[in-house]
Amino acid sequence: MKKLFVTGGAGFIGSAFVRLVLAEIPGCEVVNFDALTYAGNLDNLEGVDEGRHRFVRGDICDREAVLAALEEGTEAVVNFAAESHVDRSIASADEFLRTNILGTQVLLDAARSRSVRRFVQISTDEVMGSLPDDDDAYFTEASPFEPNSPYSASKAAAEHLCRAAHQTHGLDTVITRCGNNYGPRQFPEKFLPLIISNAMRGEPLPLYGDGRYTRDWIYVEDHCRAILMVLQKGRSGAAYNIGARNERRNLEVAEAVLGKLGKPLSLIRHVKDRPGHDRRYAIDPAKVESELGWRPRETWESGLEKTVRWYAENGVWVERTRSGAYRDYYERQYGAEKSLESEV
Ligand code: NAD
Ligand code: DAU
C-alpha cells in the first residue's frame, strides 16, 4: 500500500489509525483530511512521521476541497470523519445529517471520479439498535438495522449509501461496525474519558439512569488493526463486525476506574437518563476472526491500565480539551436541569 486518504484523522480513532499505518506500513503515505471540528485536535498527531503524513484541513461535504486533496493514485479512502457523540445528536441532529450522510456521499463520488481502488466506511454497532438485557443475543452481520438515535440513524444511512455505490457503480466498498472504543486521546465528552478525567479531579461521575446499561468495549489500537486487515483483505461489498468480547455495565466501568485511581465509590452519581438509551450492545466478531484472522491484543485489564495511565500522564491535553467550548457543553449536558439525583 502506497497512498491512503484518511478522513477524520485528527479525531480519536482516526489519529490512532494514522499512527498505526505510518508505523506498520513503511513507504505508505497518508493524506489526512479533517475539518478540525471541536473533536478534531492536531495535538493527537504529535510525533507522527511528517515525511509521509500530509494534513489537509477541509470539510468532507465540500466537494471541491475533497477533489483537490484526493490525488489520482490513491489506493483507498478510509472514512472516519463524522459527528460521533449520541448526546449531541439528541440536542441537534443537523450537523449529523450533513457530515455523516451528505459527507459520505461526497466522498463516495470523489473516490469514483479519482478511480480509488477501495472505500472503507467506519461504521458502528449502533446501527443495529439495542439488545435485551441478560440475554444471549449478539449483533451479527445479519442483524437488522434498528437505529435509535439521530447519530446511529445517520450512520445507518451512510452505510446504505456505501452499499448503493457498490451495487450501482461497482465501487469496491467495505464496512466496519465496531463497539465502544477506549484508549488515549478520546474527547472527554465520551463516557470513559469523562469519568477518568472527573475522577482524577475528585469530581462526580455522572451515570445515566440505573447505570446498568451494557457496552462492548475495545481498545482503540485493536480496532485500528482490524480496520487495516479489512482494508487489506476484506471482501468487496462486505461488512465486518468488530468486537473484543468484552461486555461491561457502565456501573462496573465506573467502579473499575475509581479502583485504579484509588478514589471513593461515593463519587458515582445517578443522573437523568439519555432519551432512547440503548440498553445493551454485544458484538459477535466470529466473521472478522475466522475470515481475516483478527484477534484483539489487549485485555480489558491491560487496555484500561494503559488508558488511565495515559490520561494521568497527559494532563495538559486533558486540560486543553476540557477548556473553552467544552465547559459550555458540560454545563448544558449536566448542569442545573440534570442535577445530581442520588449517590450509590
Ligand atoms: P471523533 O469525534 O473523535 O473524531 C471525528 C473526527 O472527524 C474529528 O477529527 C473531526 O474534526 C472530524 N470531522 C467531523 N466532521 C467533519 C467534516 N465535516 N469534514 C471533515 N472532518 C470532520 O470520533 P471517533 O470517536 O474517533 O470516531 C471516528 C469514527 O468511528 C466515526 O465515524 C464514528 O462514527 C466511528 N465509531 C466510533 C466509535 C467510538 O467508540 N468512538 C465506535 C464505532 C465507530
Ligand atoms: O457503540 C459504538 C458507539 O459508542 C460509537 O458509534 C459512538 O460514536 C460512541 O460515542 C459510543 O456511543 P455510546 O453512546 O455508547 O458512548 P458514550 O460514551 O456516549 O456512552 C457510553 C455509555 O455510558 C452509554 O450507555 C451512555 C453512558 N453514559 C454516557 C455519558 C456521556 C453515562 O452513563 N454518563 C455519561 O455522562
Side-chain angles (χ1 to χ4, degrees):
M1 199 143 18
K2 292 267 188 292
K3 200 183 283 181
L4 290 182
F5 188 81
V6 174
T7 67
F12 165 49
I13 308 175
S15 64
F17 182 76
V18 168
R19 284 171 185 281
L20 182 73
V21 166
L22 294 174
E24 305 242 322
I25 312 184
C28 183
E29 292 173 13
V30 174
V31 173
N32 183 349
F33 189 87
D34 193 300
L36 296 181
T37 67
Y38 78 92
N41 183 350
L42 287 178
D43 290 348
N44 291 349
L45 295 160
E46 209 179 279
V48 302
D49 177 353
E50 284 307 328
R52 292 187 292 129
H53 173 251
R54 184 162 72 89
F55 182 80
V56 178
R57 185 170 189 180
D59 182 343
I60 60 167
C61 302
D62 181 344
R63 202 171 287 270
E64 282 176 18
V66 169
L67 283 170
L70 182 57
E71 296 160 14
E72 289 284 350
T74 300
E75 279 163 273
V77 170
V78 188
N79 181 26
F80 292 90
E83 288 295 330
S84 68
H85 193 40
V86 173
D87 292 324
R88 288 186 191 253
S89 80
I90 294 167
S92 170
D94 295 2
E95 209 45 43
F96 288 74
L97 307 194
R98 200 184 77 87
T99 289
N100 300 2
I101 304 176
L102 299 179
T104 300
Q105 185 61 48
V106 168
L107 292 174
L108 290 163
D109 293 342
R112 277 202 303 130
S113 77
R114 290 285 182 267
S115 308
V116 171
R117 194 176 60 76
R118 173 151 270 203
F119 189 101
V120 184
Q121 171 68 6
I122 309 305
S123 190
T124 169
D125 61 353
E126 295 195 19
V127 298
M128 296 173 278
S130 180
L131 294 166
D133 236 347
D134 297 323
D135 194 6
D136 282 343
Y138 291 92
F139 292 138
T140 73
E141 287 77 4
S143 299
F145 274 24
E146 291 176 345
N148 292 320
S149 71
Y151 162 71
S152 52
S154 70
K155 294 295 289 187
E159 282 207 34
H160 289 316
L161 293 172
C162 293
R163 180 186 161 85
H166 177 76
Q167 295 293 122
T168 302
H169 298 295
L171 187 68
D172 176 350
T173 59
V174 269
I175 292 169
T176 62
R177 296 185 193 131
C178 192
N180 289 60
N181 283 229
Y182 67 102
R185 305 180 187 87
Q186 186 171 27
F187 193 81
E189 65 188 351
K190 305 280 171 30
F191 182 59
L192 196 52
L194 185 142
I195 63 172
I196 293 173
S197 53
N198 278 18
M200 285 186 330
R201 297 151 68 106
E203 291 175 6
L205 275 49
L207 254 81
Y208 294 161
D210 64 4
R212 295 173 62 77
Y213 293 85
T214 300
R215 294 295 182 263
D216 197 344
W217 296 92
I218 182 170
Y219 192 67
V220 63
E221 225 174 84
D222 283 326
H223 178 198
C224 290
R225 283 183 197 284
I227 294 169
L228 196 50
M229 290 178 109
V230 169
L231 166 61
Q232 291 172 320
K233 305 192 287 183
R235 272 187 295 120
S236 183
Y240 292 87
N241 287 358
I242 299 168
R245 301 179 192 274
N246 181 39
E247 286 181 61
R248 308 275 154 181
R249 290 191 198 275
N250 295 338
L251 192 53
E252 192 187 339
V253 172
E255 286 169 358
V257 164
L258 290 169
K260 286 225 172 289
L261 290 168
K263 301 284 182 173
L265 293 180
S266 58
L267 284 178
I268 292 176
R269 300 287 197 286
H270 289 270
V271 301
K272 190 175 163 197
D273 211 344
R274 169 186 284 175
H277 197 169
D278 287 337
R279 191 62 177 170
R280 172 174 166 253
Y281 302 149
I283 295 162
D284 177 356
K287 180 174 172 182
V288 72
E289 290 175 351
S290 62
E291 265 190 34
L292 305 183
W294 173 84
R295 292 284 185 288
R297 294 187 179 179
E298 300 294 339
T299 63
W300 169 241
E301 286 70 27
S302 67
L304 189 62
E305 176 67 34
K306 280 187 178 178
T307 305
V308 170
R309 199 180 327 128
W310 189 88
Y311 283 91
E313 288 170 357
N314 287 275
V316 174
W317 186 97
V318 175
E319 287 318 311
R320 271 201 213 165
T321 55
R322 285 176 63 111
S323 63
Y326 178 78
R327 285 184 199 280
D328 301 334
Y329 167 78
Y330 197 88
E331 185 54 35
R332 281 198 307 278
Q333 185 66 15
Y334 304 98
E337 74 286 4
K338 285 201 166 187
S339 64
L340 311 177
E341 284 167 2
S342 67
E343 292 187 14
V344 164

